[in-house]
mmCIF file with all atom_site columns, all heavy atoms in Angstrom:
data_model
loop_
_atom_site.group_PDB
_atom_site.id
_atom_site.type_symbol
_atom_site.label_atom_id
_atom_site.label_alt_id
_atom_site.label_comp_id
_atom_site.label_asym_id
_atom_site.label_entity_id
_atom_site.label_seq_id
_atom_site.pdbx_PDB_ins_code
_atom_site.Cartn_x
_atom_site.Cartn_y
_atom_site.Cartn_z
_atom_site.occupancy
_atom_site.B_iso_or_equiv
_atom_site.pdbx_formal_charge
_atom_site.auth_seq_id
_atom_site.auth_comp_id
_atom_site.auth_asym_id
_atom_site.auth_atom_id
_atom_site.pdbx_PDB_model_num
ATOM 1  N N   . VAL A 1 49 ? 189.935 180.142 99.431  1.00 84.00 ? 49 VAL A N   1
ATOM 2  C CA  . VAL A 1 49 ? 189.823 178.685 99.380  1.00 84.00 ? 49 VAL A CA  1
ATOM 3  C C   . VAL A 1 49 ? 191.193 178.027 99.519  1.00 84.00 ? 49 VAL A C   1
ATOM 4  O O   . VAL A 1 49 ? 191.347 177.018 100.219 1.00 84.00 ? 49 VAL A O   1
ATOM 5  C CB  . VAL A 1 49 ? 189.136 178.246 98.072  1.00 84.00 ? 49 VAL A CB  1
ATOM 6  C CG1 . VAL A 1 49 ? 189.164 176.728 97.933  1.00 84.00 ? 49 VAL A CG1 1
ATOM 7  C CG2 . VAL A 1 49 ? 187.700 178.746 98.037  1.00 84.00 ? 49 VAL A CG2 1
ATOM 8  N N   . SER A 1 50 ? 192.208 178.602 98.887  1.00 82.00 ? 50 SER A N   1
ATOM 9  C CA  . SER A 1 50 ? 193.540 177.998 98.957  1.00 82.00 ? 50 SER A CA  1
ATOM 10 C C   . SER A 1 50 ? 194.081 177.986 100.380 1.00 82.00 ? 50 SER A C   1
ATOM 11 O O   . SER A 1 50 ? 194.794 177.053 100.772 1.00 82.00 ? 50 SER A O   1
ATOM 12 C CB  . SER A 1 50 ? 194.497 178.746 98.032  1.00 82.00 ? 50 SER A CB  1
ATOM 13 O OG  . SER A 1 50 ? 194.671 180.078 98.459  1.00 82.00 ? 50 SER A OG  1
ATOM 14 N N   . HIS A 1 51 ? 193.764 179.007 101.167 1.00 82.00 ? 51 HIS A N   1
ATOM 15 C CA  . HIS A 1 51 ? 194.225 179.039 102.553 1.00 82.00 ? 51 HIS A CA  1
ATOM 16 C C   . HIS A 1 51 ? 193.334 178.197 103.479 1.00 82.00 ? 51 HIS A C   1
ATOM 17 O O   . HIS A 1 51 ? 193.807 177.626 104.454 1.00 82.00 ? 51 HIS A O   1
ATOM 18 C CB  . HIS A 1 51 ? 194.244 180.480 103.072 1.00 82.00 ? 51 HIS A CB  1
ATOM 19 C CG  . HIS A 1 51 ? 195.400 181.285 102.559 1.00 82.00 ? 51 HIS A CG  1
ATOM 20 N ND1 . HIS A 1 51 ? 195.460 181.764 101.279 1.00 82.00 ? 51 HIS A ND1 1
ATOM 21 C CD2 . HIS A 1 51 ? 196.552 181.683 103.157 1.00 82.00 ? 51 HIS A CD2 1
ATOM 22 C CE1 . HIS A 1 51 ? 196.581 182.433 101.104 1.00 82.00 ? 51 HIS A CE1 1
ATOM 23 N NE2 . HIS A 1 51 ? 197.264 182.396 102.219 1.00 82.00 ? 51 HIS A NE2 1
ATOM 24 N N   . ALA A 1 52 ? 192.052 178.132 103.134 1.00 85.00 ? 52 ALA A N   1
ATOM 25 C CA  . ALA A 1 52 ? 191.109 177.441 104.017 1.00 85.00 ? 52 ALA A CA  1
ATOM 26 C C   . ALA A 1 52 ? 191.264 175.931 103.999 1.00 85.00 ? 52 ALA A C   1
ATOM 27 O O   . ALA A 1 52 ? 190.725 175.240 104.880 1.00 85.00 ? 52 ALA A O   1
ATOM 28 C CB  . ALA A 1 52 ? 189.672 177.810 103.625 1.00 85.00 ? 52 ALA A CB  1
ATOM 29 N N   . VAL A 1 53 ? 191.995 175.387 103.026 1.00 86.00 ? 53 VAL A N   1
ATOM 30 C CA  . VAL A 1 53 ? 192.135 173.933 102.957 1.00 86.00 ? 53 VAL A CA  1
ATOM 31 C C   . VAL A 1 53 ? 193.163 173.405 103.951 1.00 86.00 ? 53 VAL A C   1
ATOM 32 O O   . VAL A 1 53 ? 193.254 172.189 104.151 1.00 86.00 ? 53 VAL A O   1
ATOM 33 C CB  . VAL A 1 53 ? 192.526 173.476 101.534 1.00 86.00 ? 53 VAL A CB  1
ATOM 34 C CG1 . VAL A 1 53 ? 191.492 173.915 100.519 1.00 86.00 ? 53 VAL A CG1 1
ATOM 35 C CG2 . VAL A 1 53 ? 193.911 173.982 101.145 1.00 86.00 ? 53 VAL A CG2 1
ATOM 36 N N   . LEU A 1 54 ? 193.937 174.280 104.582 1.00 85.00 ? 54 LEU A N   1
ATOM 37 C CA  . LEU A 1 54 ? 195.008 173.812 105.468 1.00 85.00 ? 54 LEU A CA  1
ATOM 38 C C   . LEU A 1 54 ? 194.513 172.903 106.588 1.00 85.00 ? 54 LEU A C   1
ATOM 39 O O   . LEU A 1 54 ? 195.112 171.842 106.815 1.00 85.00 ? 54 LEU A O   1
ATOM 40 C CB  . LEU A 1 54 ? 195.772 175.009 106.045 1.00 85.00 ? 54 LEU A CB  1
ATOM 41 C CG  . LEU A 1 54 ? 196.964 174.650 106.931 1.00 85.00 ? 54 LEU A CG  1
ATOM 42 C CD1 . LEU A 1 54 ? 197.984 173.815 106.169 1.00 85.00 ? 54 LEU A CD1 1
ATOM 43 C CD2 . LEU A 1 54 ? 197.637 175.923 107.481 1.00 85.00 ? 54 LEU A CD2 1
ATOM 44 N N   . PRO A 1 55 ? 193.441 173.251 107.322 1.00 89.00 ? 55 PRO A N   1
ATOM 45 C CA  . PRO A 1 55 ? 192.989 172.307 108.353 1.00 89.00 ? 55 PRO A CA  1
ATOM 46 C C   . PRO A 1 55 ? 192.543 170.973 107.778 1.00 89.00 ? 55 PRO A C   1
ATOM 47 O O   . PRO A 1 55 ? 192.711 169.931 108.422 1.00 89.00 ? 55 PRO A O   1
ATOM 48 C CB  . PRO A 1 55 ? 191.821 173.046 109.028 1.00 89.00 ? 55 PRO A CB  1
ATOM 49 C CG  . PRO A 1 55 ? 191.429 174.128 108.090 1.00 89.00 ? 55 PRO A CG  1
ATOM 50 C CD  . PRO A 1 55 ? 192.654 174.492 107.344 1.00 89.00 ? 55 PRO A CD  1
#
Side-chain angles (χ1 to χ4, degrees):
V49 173
S50 64
H51 284 75
V53 301
L54 183 59

